[in-house]
Amino acid sequence: MDTHFNRRNFIRKSGLAALTAAIGSEIVFADKLPEGYIPLVLDEKDALKGKAQEMIVLSDKPWNVESPLHLLDDKITPVEKMFIRNNGLIPESIDPKNWTLTIDGESAKTTKTYTIEDLKKRFKHYTYQLVLECGGNGRAGYQPQTSGNSWGQGAVHCAQWTGVRLKDILNDVGIKNDAVYIGYHSKDIHLSKDPRKEAISRGVPIAKALEDETLIAWQLNGKDIPEFHGFPLRLVIGGWPASVSGKWLSAISVRNKIHDGAKMDGHSYRMPRYPVAPGTDVPQTDEYFRIIESMPVKSIITYPKSGAILSPGTSIPLRGHAWAGDLAVKKVEVSLDFGATWQPCKLNTPVNRLAWQHWDTEIKLPTKGYYEVWVKATDAKGVSQPMVIPSWNPGGYLNNACERIAVKAE
Ligand SMILES: Nc1nc2c(c(=O)[nH]1)N[C@H]1C(S)=C(S)[C@@H](COP(=O)(O)O)O[C@H]1N2
Ligand SMILES: [Mo]
């Protein structure tokens, strides 16, 4: 993707031929196009370029694109199969040479600004595989439906990120004793296009910010981070709602209070402090809501694909991944009889903390007929996934119910 080139301005200034070339096909009613009108497909850059064909588009303004679970079969998620969740519009022209990261805030001892070259030269590089799961992954399962993207279970990826540790940078700047939180600031554009508004500006408590695996990254799977995933610089924090991993990162503020940026309040990425009945209108105050921290234990089946036709009586390989926020997963089991009995699976240890763990097993479908395969993971503290949809909440977060696939034996 050409990042220096501003497609919209170019098209605004060129004629119909350029427009047709950019779209890649004839505009049938071109003579009816109002002057200066930008066709929708060009209005935002195309998020589906470089993505697998089966990716599911939930919305295109902003872009929200989900991965069907069978696409997540790779151990390290390739870019083409990574979900996209944008709250605003991606920055229009990005120049990595002039891109800077500023560390500031009440609890920073000084304010410092680094170019990407500075970061690369001055700090040690680290590479980690990290699970980023949208807090709203699984939202489609809640009844009544809540506001927000209606994600199935595919708003999760575990890719390999390379960069420097945030703690090394914060150490270079110096943080005061009263530091309790960090908040990120990014260069994406609020949907209203009001430059005073931020699309999203979230953060984490200082202890999470200082973990070894919290990175300021410029590489994803060994290459520059693609535009849609935060080029040229991104905060990456595994195990927590992926909304804390700020894309197009330009600043980190060290705060002496809980960060109060966009989407830190209301029911955004927050859960009711007390369980509520489905559909309850919970007052959107701190008294009633707490910020989501570590994500709950979860697992997916990535092979076979739901809907597969298999042979009865033969061994069928089954596999997927499991993760548990800040914790490790200690057990994965599958059931063929709607949870009546469970068979244990082979479970790998994570390649590093906060990476997902691969599991696999073999099953035999005893006769021809319809089956469901359910998978259930248990975290290091002994907490398992629920078999039914967990507590409804106004934001539709944290649905970690057991994943199920339907298969037929014929
Ligand atoms: N600047 C910025 N960072 C962002 C977002 C955003 O809209 N703007 N979306 C967040 C949310 S809600 C999620 S789930 C993840 C999605 O990361 P991905 O698009 O790389 O999969 O990015 C997070 N970081
Ligand atoms: Mo998200």
Side-chain angles (χ1 to χ4, degrees):
M1 254 174 264
D2 187 342
T3 48
H4 294 269
F5 174 66
N6 186 328
R7 223 162 30 148
R8 269 189 261 176
N9 278 342
F10 170 73
I11 287 153
R12 213 170 275 136
K13 288 180 202 138
S14 343
L16 183 63
L19 210 59
T20 309
I23 292 176
S25 69
E26 287 299 318
I27 304 169
V28 177
F29 294 113
D31 59 324
K32 305 283 193 300
L33 268 181
E35 200 174 316
Y37 177 83
I38 312 286
L40 267 186
V41 292
L42 301 177
D43 198 31
E44 246 254 282
K45 288 165 192 152
D46 187 358
L48 299 178
K49 248 192 193 160
K51 288 288 174 186
Q53 258 191 5
E54 291 167 278
M55 295 293 283
I56 304 157
V57 178
L58 301 188
S59 73
D60 63 357
K61 209 168 189 184
W63 282 104
N64 287 296
V65 182
E66 169 164 5
S67 319
L69 291 186
H70 68 277
L71 283 195
L72 294 176
D73 198 37
D74 303 82
K75 291 193 166 168
I76 300 175
T77 314
V79 167
E80 58 160 10
K81 299 170 182 173
M82 285 172 66
F83 81 95
I84 297 173
R85 197 291 183 246
N86 283 351
N87 288 267
L89 306 171
I90 70 169
E92 281 207 359
S93 38
I94 297 170
D95 178 4
K97 289 254 168 334
N98 291 315
W99 193 275
T100 55
L101 172 70
T102 297
I103 310 290
D104 60 12
E106 311 92 0
S107 297
K109 283 189 179 157
T110 55
T111 294
K112 279 197 184 178
T113 296
Y114 305 89
T115 63
I116 297 178
E117 270 317 297
D118 293 336
L119 296 176
K120 286 181 180 172
K121 269 197 216 123
R122 298 196 37 200
F123 303 100
K124 192 168 175 221
H125 302 183
Y126 295 89
T127 297
Y128 295 109
Q129 291 175 29
L130 298 168
V131 175
L132 301 195
E133 181 182 15
C134 181
N137 195 22
R139 182 179 285 126
Y142 285 115
Q143 284 304 332
Q145 282 282 284
T146 68
S147 61
N149 290 299
S150 202
W151 300 108
Q153 291 295 354
V156 60
H157 45 63
C158 183
Q160 180 183 281
W161 300 90
T162 300
V164 294
R165 286 181 173 157
L166 176 58
K167 77 170 183 188
D168 290 347
I169 304 173
L170 293 184
N171 194 34
D172 186 56
V173 173
I175 57 176
K176 296 182 190 165
N177 288 335
D178 65 351
V180 295
Y181 231 84
I182 59 120
Y184 68 74
H185 299 283
S186 301
K187 290 278 188 200
D188 47 343
I189 302 159
H190 191 269
L191 285 179
S192 67
K193 305 220 171 144
D194 181 341
R196 289 161 306 180
K197 288 190 180 159
E198 289 182 288
I200 186 167
S201 167
R202 305 202 63 241
V204 292
I206 198 78
K208 182 70 181 166
L210 295 177
E211 283 184 354
D212 286 353
E213 299 81 7
T214 296
L215 293 181
I216 304 294
W218 56 82
Q219 274 198 347
L220 168 54
N221 295 347
K223 294 195 175 133
D224 284 353
I225 299 175
E227 222 172 357
F228 274 89
H229 296 287
F231 181 79
L233 203 62
R234 179 174 194 172
L235 174 62
V236 195
I237 302 180
W240 286 37
S243 54
V244 299
S245 293
K247 306 194 268 190
W248 312 290
L249 181 73
S250 62
I252 288 187
S253 303
V254 187
R255 308 297 314 265
N256 62 7
K257 57 177 184 183
I258 294 174
H259 182 57
D260 49 1
K263 310 231 168 174
M264 288 296 291
D265 59 357
H267 70 223
S268 293
Y269 308 102
R270 303 208 299 176
M271 288 288 281
R273 289 183 191 275
Y274 320 100
V276 300
T280 305
D281 189 9
V282 186
Q284 294 191 10
T285 62
D286 295 351
E287 192 192 334
Y288 288 93
F289 279 94
R290 63 166 183 90
I291 297 169
I292 298 170
E293 301 201 326
S294 175
M295 292 293 284
V297 60
K298 201 157 177 175
S299 56
I300 52 174
I301 301 169
T302 59
Y303 184 88
K305 180 177 171 174
S306 193
I309 311 279
L310 307 166
S311 310
T314 62
S315 257
I316 295 150
L318 203 73
R319 62 175 179 264
H321 317 288
W323 61 96
D326 283 336
L327 300 176
V329 176
K330 76 167 182 198
K331 186 167 71 177
V332 173
E333 300 157 287
V334 293
S335 176
L336 303 179
D337 53 13
F338 304 98
T341 62
W342 293 87
Q343 100 181 36
C345 302
K346 192 175 127 245
L347 177 66
N348 291 1
T349 52
V351 286
N352 54 252
R353 198 178 155 253
L354 310 179
W356 65 19
Q357 293 168 242
H358 317 299
W359 63 266
D360 68 82
T361 191
E362 283 182 0
I363 53 164
K364 243 183 212 154
L365 305 175
T367 62
K368 66 176 187 169
Y370 171 87
Y371 295 87
E372 288 187 11
V373 185
W374 294 10
V375 64
K376 179 173 71 172
T378 303
D379 72 21
K381 288 191 175 158
V383 177
S384 301
Q385 292 180 254
M387 273 175 276
V388 294
I389 308 286
S391 53
W392 183 94
N393 62 92
Y397 297 111
L398 308 188
N399 174 8
N400 67 331
C402 287
E403 184 55 39
R404 297 165 298 175
I405 60 166
V407 293
K408 270 187 188 166
E410 284 181 8

